[in-house]
Every structure is written in C-alpha cells, then in structure tokens.
Amino acid sequence: MGVPQDAARPSFGMHATGSRNGREPAQEEQAPEPELLPAEAVVDLAAARREAGIDEVLGSLDAELVGLEPVKTRIAEIAALLLIDRVRARFGVTAQQPTLHMCFTGNPGTGKTTVAMRMAELLHRLGYLRRGHLVSVTRDDLVGQYVGHTAPKTKEVIKRAMGGVLFIDEAYYLYKVENERDYGGEAIEILLQVMENNRDDLVVILAGYAERMDEFFAANPGMQSRIAHHITFPDYTVGELAQIGELMTEALGYRFSPDAQEVFRRYLDKRVGQPWFANARSVRNAVERARLRQARRLLEQPDPRVDLAALTTIEPDDLLASRVFGAASDGPSPGSGGVGASIRTGHGRLGER
Ligand SMILES: Nc1ncnc2c1ncn2[C@@H]1O[C@H](COP(=O)(O)OP(=O)(O)O)[C@@H](O)[C@H]1O
Ligand SMILES: [Mg+2]
C-alpha cells in the first residue's frame, strides 16, 4: 500500500528487555531465574492461581459486569492458558508466546471498552504485559492529514501503548474502500508489523460494529490473520439493562424506590426501541438524568427538610419526566445539546434523550 520501507519496520527500541515472563531461558533477566523443576515434581495449580491473582480479576469482572457470559468464559480460558504456560515454563517446557490480538464486535455500549480495560489488567497480572494500561484511539489519532504525517502519528501511539493494550475503536475507519490513496493504509501496515514483531509486548484490540468489521477484515486479510480472538458482545436484554442500572445507581450511592424500579423497567422497555439506543451507555445516561431530576425535585419540594433516605432515593417522578415517556417539558438535557436534540456527537457516542 505504498508504505515507505523504513515505516514498515518500526523498532521502537522495545525489544531489548528480553524475556518478561520467565518463559525463555534466563539471559537478560534482572532477577535470577528460579531453578527448573524436575520432571517428577508436582505443582499446585490452586496456589499458582492465587499467586497470580487471577481470581480477583475474574471475580470482579463477574460481580461488576452484568451478563456477557460468553465474554467472561473466553477471558477465563485465556487466563487459564497463560497460567498453564507459566507452570509449564517452570519445567522448562516453553512454547511460543500465544498471540493475543483480539477483535471485539458489538453495538455501542455493550461493554467493549470496559472489558478491554479488564483484559489489560488481567494480562498484566499474568505476566503477559509489562504495564497493563490501555491506550484507546480512533482513526484520527493514527492517521495524518498530509503526506508523511501518518507514520510518526501511528508510531507515537504505538510507543505509548507498548507494554499494554492498544484499543482501536471503530477500526474499520482506518480503511477507506473508495480511496486507495487514503493514509489509513499506511497506519494499517505499521500496525501489522508491530502486531507481528512486538506481540510479546503489545496486545491490539480492534473494536466496532460486527458487519463493518467483517468488511474490514475481508479487505485486510493480513489483519484478520493476526487476530487470535474474535469476541462478540451481544445487546443486553431489558432484564440485564435493569440490573446494570441497579449496579450503577448503587455505585453512585442511590437506590430506586420499589415503584421507581418498576418504572425504570418500563422506561427500558420503551428506550430499547427508540433511536440512538446504546445499551449500557443509555442506562448510564438515564441514571445521570434521574439524578438531576431528583436533585431538582428535592430543592423544589415544599418542605425543605431532607433525610438520608430522601437524598439517596430515586422516585418514579424522576424517571417519568423523561422524553422516553413522551414527557414534553424535561428541560435541556445535559450533553445532548438542548431540548429535543438527539445528536450523533462522534463515532458511537450518541446523544441521549
Ligand atoms: N455488563 C455491564 N455491566 C455493567 N456496566 C456495564 C456493562 N457493560 C457496559 N457497562 C457500562 O456501560 C458504559 C458503556 O460501556 P463501554 O464499555 O464504554 O461500551 P462500548 O465500548 O461497547 O461502547 C460504561 O459506563 C460501562 O461501565
Ligand atoms: Mg467504547
């Protein structure tokens, strides 16, 4: 794709740190490598699990994220593989570091970014990633407007992400079918090289809508072949959305009154069929606006005295004033640009109502 040769072989000076996970024979490790276990030794996997702290990460994943069973299963499998790899290495059995580049497909608000952050943490705990941070980017962070701008931009982002996860949201915008001369191709070439050469130090996660990602892979088979895990994030059911709402309100120090709980479910029933519905993100926005209305209600009530219960309870009125129920006078809603506005503010970031 017309990429200059030097751009296609980025080095980043990141290769010199050697083995980071005790997988290879000790050469450049600072700490001396523990002695290899004899063939007849027995290893307690439960203890190995505890030491790695996997259960904490998987446990909090399970407790804090509603649903997503297939996603959780896949993450547990990856954790198991990396743990077993580590134990095998103690016997001197080494295999090539598994490829962990991934693709997360799903509609907006289905938890892709959130899970990517958890993944980064888990891979860090398991010794796969040095740092375990997440750098989230879109096309504009990688691709320049002029000749010669793209390679430095992409390399700078990759450098920041080294040792962690590079999360590329709506990755298909990197590739413009109708325009061969687009600079996105240059960014893709550089990414491909890094995904191959630096895969022991960087995990790339591509995210976006399933169909568009399929098109992207069809046009970029090199990218497809470097992705080891394709993980699908389904839309949440109304029951799951309600549970997510409960978790979010709780985390903010609120609760729904029993009546409000009922109204919230009705709200969700309606909301899922309306424009710009964005799964858990819509739930978060609904909770935020209920919080605003609750505050206004408390200040406007005739009796100005409040107790803890009043301060922490969302009542039906705080939800019923929403436009989702056809209420006309909800006032300008924050972040949506005014009454009646439902604006698309960017890739997947949707205006709410
Ligand atoms: N399964 C879930 N349980 C609880 N909260 C969730 C869940 N999925 C998403 N969220 C919350 O919803 C919001 C949007 O999620 P996000 O990961 O940004 O979605 P995406 O990246 O797919 O658009 C975040 O505030 C996140 O914490
Ligand atoms: Mg996201």
Side-chain angles (χ1 to χ4, degrees):
M1 269 178 211
V3 178
Q5 272 314 334
D6 58 336
R9 284 225 160 265
S11 79
F12 307 106
M14 294 289 177
H15 263 321
T17 35
S19 164
R20 270 162 222 108
N21 51 16
R23 191 182 308 271
E24 294 154 27
Q27 304 158 346
E28 299 138 300
E29 290 284 20
Q30 295 139 315
E33 198 81 353
E35 297 236 329
L36 288 185
L37 294 171
E40 67 277 10
V42 173
V43 172
D44 178 1
L45 285 180
R49 260 183 104 108
R50 269 196 305 278
E51 277 159 34
I54 308 178
D55 293 326
E56 284 163 48
V57 181
L58 294 183
S60 73
L61 192 77
D62 207 32
E64 291 159 31
L65 294 182
V66 173
L68 296 175
E69 293 316 324
V71 175
K72 289 171 179 170
T73 305
R74 184 68 75 93
I75 294 176
E77 284 169 2
I78 291 170
L81 171 66
L82 295 180
L83 185 73
I84 292 298
D85 256 15
R86 251 159 67 145
V87 175
R88 280 158 46 100
R90 285 166 65 187
F91 287 92
V93 185
T94 56
Q96 205 188 13
Q97 183 102 302
T99 305
L100 285 185
H101 303 308
M102 304 179 200
C103 174
F104 289 0
T105 49
N107 291 328
T110 47
K112 300 181 294 297
T113 307
T114 309
V115 169
M117 280 160 58
R118 300 305 182 99
M119 187 69 86
E121 189 191 344
L122 182 73
L123 296 179
H124 174 58
R125 290 211 184 199
L126 285 162
Y128 190 95
L129 290 174
R130 268 182 304 134
R131 295 166 66 195
H133 63 307
L134 179 116
V135 172
S136 176
V137 298
T138 59
R139 176 190 160 96
D140 291 350
D141 300 299
L142 298 167
V143 180
Q145 309 263 21
Y146 309 101
V147 180
H149 284 198
T150 299
K153 262 183 110 152
T154 302
K155 288 181 186 179
E156 163 57 30
V157 165
I158 290 170
K159 200 166 164 183
R160 267 198 290 136
M162 276 295 169
V165 168
L166 175 60
F167 183 85
I168 307 178
D169 216 355
E170 304 220 67
Y172 29 77
Y173 284 124
L174 286 176
Y175 179 76
K176 302 223 161 133
V177 188
E178 71 281 7
N179 185 358
E180 276 177 40
R181 300 224 159 269
D182 185 70
Y183 301 126
E186 202 174 327
I188 292 174
E189 288 299 319
I190 296 171
L191 285 166
L192 287 175
Q193 290 289 333
V194 174
M195 288 166 78
E196 195 60 35
N197 300 336
N198 298 68
R199 64 199 174 100
D200 55 344
D201 200 29
L202 180 73
V203 169
V204 174
I205 300 182
L206 310 178
Y209 291 102
E211 311 79 57
R212 308 219 37 191
M213 204 60 91
D214 285 348
E215 289 163 24
F216 174 72
F217 285 134
N220 296 276
M223 197 55 102
Q224 161 82 314
S225 68
R226 282 172 181 78
I227 300 286
H229 298 276
H230 290 266
I231 305 186
T232 306
F233 288 66
D235 284 342
Y236 294 113
T237 63
V238 169
E240 286 169 338
L241 294 169
Q243 245 180 295
I244 290 171
E246 300 270 328
L247 278 181
M248 285 175 176
T249 42
E250 221 171 274
L252 292 165
Y254 291 84
R255 59 177 198 87
F256 291 114
S257 72
D259 285 348
Q261 233 166 32
E262 207 269 311
V263 173
F264 189 55
R265 273 204 79 117
R266 271 174 35 221
Y267 171 94
L268 291 170
D269 267 330
K270 285 185 177 292
R271 184 68 190 87
V272 293
Q274 294 178 349
W276 308 122
F277 169 67
N279 285 281
R281 188 164 313 144
S282 293
V283 175
R284 181 169 293 293
N285 292 336
V287 167
E288 289 298 341
R289 277 190 313 283
R291 208 180 151 188
L292 278 174
R293 295 192 202 99
Q294 184 249 24
R296 197 170 74 190
R297 172 173 58 78
L298 291 177
L299 283 178
E300 287 173 359
Q301 68 188 8
D303 181 353
R305 293 168 306 161
V306 289
D307 58 8
L308 182 61
L311 288 168
T312 55
T313 306
I314 305 285
E315 297 289 357
D317 279 353
D318 305 331
L319 298 162
L320 288 166
S322 165
R323 273 192 294 276
V324 167
F325 286 114
S329 57
D330 194 21
S333 64
S336 77
V339 181
S342 181
I343 317 172
R344 181 145 199 172
T345 48
H347 308 317
R349 284 178 282 277
L350 306 173
E352 287 293 333
R353 25 170 70 215

